[in-house]
Amino acid sequence: MTDEEILAEFRAAEALLEGHFILSSGLRSPRYLQCARVLMSPARGARLASALAEKLPAALRSAIDIVVSPAMGGIIIGHEMGRALGVDALFLERPDGVFALRRGFRLAPGQRVLMMEDVVTTGLSSREAIAAIRRAGGEVVAAGALVDRSDGAADLGVPFYPLIRLSVPSYAADSLPPELAAIPATKPGSRAA
């Protein structure tokens, strides 16, 4: 898929939003990609995951034993990546504010993991997920995401393969441009403001 075809999938799902948004990182942005909307169509989710799986180097694809994603945003795309790669998919939760495997999920020591996100902005959540996977005994061989909002600036500490890289501005709450400050902020993501 080309970048324009990927963005067309987001537009078709009305998942490319404009306004004043509070991101999971706490940063603010005039644009938001609502991956939950783009993934509400199983067919669309399968297309996007298959496109990302095809972008992974063949040696990496064959090295992945399992996909692990952080809840909430990564669950659906993680499941679809598991399907596209022909491996199981687990997810991490934050029952006490720290990512951990629950629900009987476990990793075998040294099991090779693709950590899968929906969107990466600063990379903090991804790094926390990677640390949790390592604590659980997994070896994170790479990370993937539908969208890299950092345009390549986020360092996850492992090879990172997004389906699309975008340069979307984000600002600290106390450094907003006037046009953004004039619009009421909304929090469309899954974490509380």
Side-chain angles (χ1 to χ4, degrees), residues 97-190:
V98 177
F99 279 129
L101 291 172
R102 299 182 63 204
R103 303 172 193 269
F105 291 155
R106 62 186 164 278
L107 296 170
Q111 196 167 18
R112 296 169 303 199
V113 177
L114 172 69
M115 191 287 300
M116 188 66 203
E117 281 270 28
D118 56 350
V119 177
V120 170
T121 300
T122 65
L124 176 61
S125 180
S126 297
R127 289 188 299 274
E128 291 172 350
I130 289 167
I133 293 164
R134 289 178 175 149
R135 284 192 306 274
E139 176 193 347
V140 180
V141 295
L146 278 180
V147 179
D148 174 9
R149 284 180 50 102
S150 79
D151 199 24
D155 180 5
L156 306 185
V158 296
F160 178 38
Y161 299 93
L163 183 58
I164 189 170
R165 281 194 161 98
L166 298 174
S167 180
V168 180
S170 55
Y171 309 94
D174 60 356
S175 300
L176 298 176
E179 64 276 8
L180 194 57
I183 303 170
T186 60
K187 176 110 177 84
S190 63

Side-chain angles (χ1 to χ4, degrees), residues 52-96:
L52 179 55
E54 289 172 15
K55 285 182 76 168
L56 300 177
L60 175 61
R61 276 195 314 267
S62 64
I64 295 167
D65 296 321
I66 196 163
V67 175
V68 179
S69 55
M72 277 294 295
I75 292 176
I76 295 172
I77 192 57
H79 186 268
E80 289 298 332
M81 279 302 290
R83 182 194 322 255
L85 295 169
V87 299
D88 286 344
L90 313 179
F91 58 89
L92 300 160
E93 297 177 78
R94 294 181 193 257
D96 300 311

Side-chain angles (χ1 to χ4, degrees), residues 29-51:
S29 180
R31 284 186 284 296
Y32 189 84
L33 293 153
Q34 181 56 272
C35 289
R37 280 199 59 84
V38 82
L39 294 170
M40 69 184 190
S41 161
R44 183 175 285 120
R47 281 193 302 274
L48 295 171
S50 292

